[in-house]
Amino acid sequence: MSRVSKADEATSWRRPMPSNDSHNTPGSSSKTSGSYAITRQAAFAVVESGGSQFKVTPDDIIYHNKIPGVTVNDVIEFGKVLLIGTAQETAIGRPFIPGATVIAAVEETLKDAKVHVFKKKPRKGYSKLKGHRSHITALRILELRAPGMQLPAAAEAAAAAVPQLAAGKESSQQLAAPVRSLGAGDDDARPAVSGIRGIGPSSGRQQQPKQ
């Protein structure tokens, strides 16, 4: 497995996205500009980027560490895909899935909440308060790509789940045993219950017959 050096990772965001699907190598990422659309898919993926792992599905929004060299509406392709799963199958990489990618678009560039750092030296008259706000990039997941796997659309998966749910309800109704209620004159039909003993501190006590 080929590894990407730190210098290559620093410049990987500036490489244009190739047009073919055979370019991807584990650990690579690229960007392009232009219009984009969200592909509704009934699948999820676990992608690694910026030292963190994200579980994503199409139309999710994730907050990533600052990605240098990108602007709003840029489309980014992540190649460090650890896992892709659907209702039918799951693919797990070792550590990455060859050829699998996650496509995302830059929604916004903003700052995280302020973190206060306070330093003080006792008996020295020294104290200092600093504040820091990290730059983050908001990404919207557009599509999951995995060669050799069929990633069903969300509408198709929902339509296929409705007959299965209806069939499950019918089977449960057929398997349910009928319940017969006993009336006041059915004392003879009631089973005789005797010899039942409990466990615990009060199990050894003899129960007195009710008057």
Side-chain angles (χ1 to χ4, degrees):
M1 183 184 66
S2 61
R3 296 184 177 272
V4 181
S5 62
K6 293 184 178 180
D8 293 336
E9 289 183 351
T11 59
S12 60
W13 304 106
R14 300 175 176 83
R15 292 200 300 264
M17 181 186 298
S19 58
N20 58 358
D21 294 332
S22 61
H23 73 282
N24 180 258
T25 57
S28 65
S29 56
S30 55
K31 74 157 190 162
T32 185
S33 299
S35 59
Y36 58 85
I38 300 174
T39 304
R40 308 288 181 175
Q41 295 171 309
F44 72 96
V46 178
V47 60
E48 178 182 346
S49 180
S52 302
Q53 296 181 4
F54 303 91
K55 179 185 176 182
V56 297
T57 57
D59 204 19
D60 283 353
I61 294 180
I62 61 175
Y63 294 96
H64 193 284
N65 296 334
K66 180 183 178 181
I67 302 176
V70 299
T71 57
V72 177
N73 291 336
D74 284 352
V75 178
I76 301 176
E77 183 178 41
F78 297 100
K80 291 184 177 181
V81 181
L82 302 172
L83 182 145
I84 287 185
T86 63
Q88 289 75 25
E89 59 180 339
T90 301
I92 302 176
R94 294 191 226 173
F96 308 117
I97 302 176
T101 55
V102 173
I103 311 300
V106 178
E107 286 274 320
E108 186 181 3
T109 56
L110 64 159
K111 289 185 178 182
D112 201 354
K114 181 175 288 188
V115 177
H116 296 280
V117 180
F118 179 73
K119 295 182 180 181
K120 181 179 179 180
K121 295 181 181 180
R123 298 183 300 274
K124 299 294 183 180
Y126 173 85
S127 62
K128 184 177 293 187
L129 177 64
K130 289 185 177 181
H132 173 72
R133 297 186 66 184
S134 300
H135 293 267
I136 57 178
T137 303
L139 303 173
R140 183 178 294 274
I141 306 302
L142 302 180
E143 184 182 359
L144 310 180
R145 296 178 182 177
M149 290 185 62
Q150 293 183 356
L151 303 181
E156 297 177 0
V162 171
Q164 295 178 2
L165 183 61
K169 290 183 178 179
E170 293 177 359
S171 61
S172 62
Q173 293 176 359
Q174 294 175 0
L175 294 177
V179 178
R180 183 173 68 90
S181 60
L182 299 178
D186 295 340
D187 293 339
D188 297 338
R190 297 178 184 275
V193 180
S194 61
I196 297 179
R197 296 182 179 180
I199 58 174
S202 61
S203 60
R205 301 177 184 176
Q206 296 182 357
Q207 297 182 355
Q208 299 294 334
K210 297 181 178 180
Q211 297 292 334

